[in-house]
Amino acid sequence: MKNRTRIWIMIAIFIATFMTSVEITIVTTALPSIISELHGLAYQSWIMSTYLLTTAITTPIYGKLADSWGRKIVFQVGVILFTLGSLLSGLSPSIFSLILARALQGLGAGSIIPLTFTIIADIYSFQDRAKVLAFNNTAWGLSALLGPLLGGFLVDTLSWHWVFFVNVPLGVLIFLVITFKYTETLAAKTVLHIDWYGICWLSITLIALLIGIQQINISIRSSIILFSVSLLSFFLLIKQEKKVSDPLIPFEMFVNPTFSIQVVTSTLLSGILIGYQIYFPIWLQSIYRVPATISGLVVTSSSVMWLLASFLVGGLLRRFSPKNIILVVVSVQFISYLSLLFINSSFPYWVFYLIAAISGFGMGIVISINIMLSQHLVSKKLLGSATAIITLGRTLGQTLMIGIYGAVLNLFIRLQLHGLRFSAVNNFISSTNKIDIHLQQIFAPIVLNSLHAVFGVVNLLFIVILVTNMLDPNKEVIR
């Protein structure tokens, strides 16, 4: 492929990465306005979770289709669905129509997110891939930095509708570039046997799992039933995939233990990622009474370090084995997080920015290695499926841990109330609410102990990651 053509394709991939990643940060900024105008407080969580749910369900399906039909057509379908979903979201007259439009956006994102990585793997060698992935990561970093600012500007100067409309011209541009500049290199299969039962069991598995997580703090009984349904359907999925000739999820990929370890590592690290993104700002606002804007910068420091670290991956992989790199980097992250179990309200709050920076630096290295190695360890015909699985793992890791962290926080708060109202703690957490010294002395230890419990779970995830990677049989430098 000519360099000029590659540049055009990378421009489209860069914009697509920015478009799908900024969707999270820009929408969260507009949520208060959306909820107020559409009277949707009771259903506000579904604005985000529906998008996440349809993305998770369709990711492995698109991965399989990309290996069968080719990358171009599947990517184009994803861009069309995402762009149409964005347009309908902006035009939504009610909360229910918005939720449906967000589901359509998620159907498109399920194709776009994994296929950006797959197309990069198609057009660049393993040696060049680290540098290209690092460049593409800058789109993710820009979305983390610009998303809240752009969302606030659009809401203040125009309306919340424009946080969705802004995606429409971007989607049209991506579609045109891919249509006229990208030439398909993968030969499409003349006969495609669609694994409908596999799609069915996978959908039930993920829907039951993700809704079950949403129900943890509402009804434990409902969560247990949904988790049981998810487990049963997953068992049926495995049984189905073993007997079909063209499975939706080729489990042969997991025969290689190094591949399986990359998926586990990426999934758990993504769960850790969402932990500090949510709970560091809560810690800073509730215990230190830091303003919301300043507390949000803790995530920014992580994003900046992630970008810087991703440019180092290529050089590290030329000198050291992936196993040793991951063990060293995760160990440093683990040590930094251990301090969170012991610090109190007198500890300097700038340390959180340091821990977030260390965490982001480590994520930039390890997750880039997870993606590259998982693609490198499978055959060309399974490249799309492998990338989809690692992407699905990242989505599930964040979604699962959101529910678990929330359940742990609420449980530990309730155990310490001793007759106090839970709503009073809810009011205490935001730094915008003025709290007198007496209430500060009562509620600060309750919230602090609960946050210690949350990051106790985070540290357990680090231990699992370290033990899992110690079991990796591959100790060689990958060439």
Side-chain angles (χ1 to χ4, degrees):
M1 184 177 291
K2 295 179 181 179
N3 284 335
R4 183 180 297 178
T5 305
R6 283 183 179 176
I7 290 171
W8 275 108
I9 294 171
M10 280 308 303
I11 288 172
I13 288 175
F14 184 90
I15 297 172
T17 302
F18 178 83
M19 182 177 70
T20 51
S21 56
V22 81
E23 184 61 25
I24 303 297
T25 54
I26 198 173
V27 171
T28 52
T29 307
L31 268 180
S33 297
I34 295 172
I35 293 166
S36 177
E37 185 173 323
L38 299 182
H39 309 288
L41 182 60
Y43 305 97
Q44 57 87 18
S45 65
W46 285 100
I47 296 173
M48 299 302 297
S49 59
T50 302
Y51 174 83
L52 195 65
L53 181 64
T54 51
T55 300
I57 291 170
T58 55
T59 293
I61 298 172
Y62 283 125
K64 180 63 180 177
L65 292 176
D67 284 335
S68 302
W69 291 349
R71 325 302 191 201
K72 184 173 182 176
I73 182 65
V74 177
F75 191 74
Q76 286 174 315
V77 168
V79 172
I80 291 171
L81 292 176
F82 187 90
T83 306
L84 182 59
S86 298
L87 178 63
L88 294 176
S89 294
L91 295 173
S92 294
S94 69
I95 191 69
F96 298 109
S97 60
L98 175 60
I99 289 170
L100 289 174
R102 290 284 286 166
L104 185 61
Q105 266 191 304
L107 290 177
S111 165
I112 295 171
I113 296 172
L115 277 174
T116 53
F117 297 118
T118 306
I119 293 172
I120 288 173
D122 281 338
I123 64 177
Y124 288 96
S125 67
F126 182 79
Q127 289 73 22
D128 294 331
R129 211 173 297 162
K131 182 171 57 178
V132 178
L133 284 174
F135 165 75
N136 198 51
N137 279 342
T138 60
W140 174 85
L142 283 173
S143 71
L145 294 171
L146 299 180
L149 297 175
L150 181 59
F153 172 78
L154 291 173
V155 170
D156 291 339
T157 57
L158 298 170
S159 70
W160 65 263
H161 304 271
W162 285 90
V163 303
F164 299 107
F165 289 152
V166 74
N167 287 325
V168 176
L170 296 178
V172 172
L173 177 61
I174 295 164
F175 182 84
L176 291 175
V177 172
I178 292 297
T179 299
F180 293 107
K181 292 295 181 180
Y182 183 62
T183 302
E184 183 63 68
T185 57
L186 189 71
K189 292 183 179 179
T190 54
V191 179
L192 176 64
H193 301 285
I194 299 177
D195 182 12
W196 293 111
Y197 285 109
I199 292 173
C200 175
W201 294 128
L202 174 68
S203 300
I204 295 173
T205 299
L206 295 178
I207 290 171
L209 177 64
L210 298 181
I211 296 179
I213 292 166
Q214 296 285 329
Q215 292 289 313
I216 285 177
N217 289 320
I218 301 171
S219 172
I220 293 294
R221 181 179 297 178
S222 298
S223 290
I224 292 173
I225 293 172
L226 288 165
F227 290 150
S228 300
V229 170
S230 178
L231 190 62
L232 176 61
S233 56
F234 181 65
F235 170 76
L236 293 172
L237 172 65
I238 294 175
K239 188 176 179 181
Q240 167 69 15
E241 299 306 88
K242 286 183 177 180
K243 69 181 183 182
V244 295
S245 59
D246 195 11
L248 175 67
I249 299 178
F251 281 96
E252 63 189 83
M253 296 184 295
F254 294 94
V255 173
N256 186 322
T258 303
F259 176 86
S260 301
I261 287 168
Q262 302 315 302
V263 175
V264 171
T265 301
S266 181
T267 301
L268 296 182
L269 273 181
S270 296
I272 291 169
L273 169 68
I274 202 67
Y276 75 76
Q277 286 182 333
I278 293 175
Y279 290 99
F280 273 18
I282 289 176
W283 198 321
L284 290 171
Q285 287 192 53
S286 60
I287 304 301
Y288 295 93
R289 314 310 294 175
V290 171
T293 304
I294 297 176
S295 69
L297 291 175
V298 74
V299 178
T300 303
S301 68
S302 169
S303 302
V304 171
M305 295 307 294
W306 185 312
L307 293 179
L308 294 176
S310 61
F311 284 98
L312 303 177
V313 173
L316 290 172
L317 285 175
R318 285 192 292 269
R319 295 173 177 83
F320 308 102
S321 71
K323 174 180 179 176
N324 290 336
I325 296 170
I326 293 172
L327 286 174
V328 170
V329 171
V330 173
S331 295
V332 173
Q333 289 178 298
F334 179 38
I335 292 169
S336 70
Y337 271 83
L338 276 176
S339 63
L340 295 173
L341 302 181
F342 308 104
I343 64 176
N344 53 35
S345 56
S346 63
F347 208 73
Y349 73 82
W350 58 262
V351 173
F352 286 88
Y353 296 87
L354 177 61
I355 294 173
I358 293 171
S359 189
F361 192 85
M363 298 286 180
I365 292 174
V366 178
I367 289 182
S368 295
I369 290 175
N370 296 151
I371 295 170
M372 291 177 60
L373 206 54
S374 62
Q375 293 174 334
H376 184 71
L377 293 170
V378 299
S379 62
K380 185 77 171 179
K381 68 176 184 177
L382 296 177
L383 187 59
S385 295
T387 309
I389 290 298
I390 202 97
T391 306
L392 175 63
R394 292 177 64 180
T395 303
L396 287 179
Q398 294 186 49
T399 312
L400 284 168
M401 294 315 300
I402 285 174
I404 292 171
Y405 294 145
V408 169
L409 184 77
N410 287 332
L411 173 64
F412 274 79
I413 287 176
R414 293 183 188 279
L415 288 175
Q416 300 174 82
L417 288 178
H418 305 302
L420 297 171
R421 290 181 297 111
F422 186 84
S423 59
V425 183
N426 189 67
N427 186 58
F428 169 79
I429 282 177
S430 175
S431 62
T432 58
N433 298 323
K434 293 184 178 180
I435 306 293
D436 62 43
I437 298 297
H438 176 66
L439 291 177
Q440 176 82 10
Q441 292 173 342
I442 293 174
F443 291 121
I446 293 175
V447 175
L448 183 62
N449 291 334
S450 302
L451 289 169
H452 283 159
V454 168
F455 284 96
V457 175
V458 170
N459 279 288
L460 287 176
L461 295 183
F462 274 120
I463 293 172
V464 174
I465 293 171
L466 288 170
V467 172
T468 302
N469 279 274
M470 287 177 186
L471 299 175
D472 187 356
N474 180 39
K475 302 176 182 179
E476 303 298 323
V477 176
I478 303 296
R479 301 294 183 186

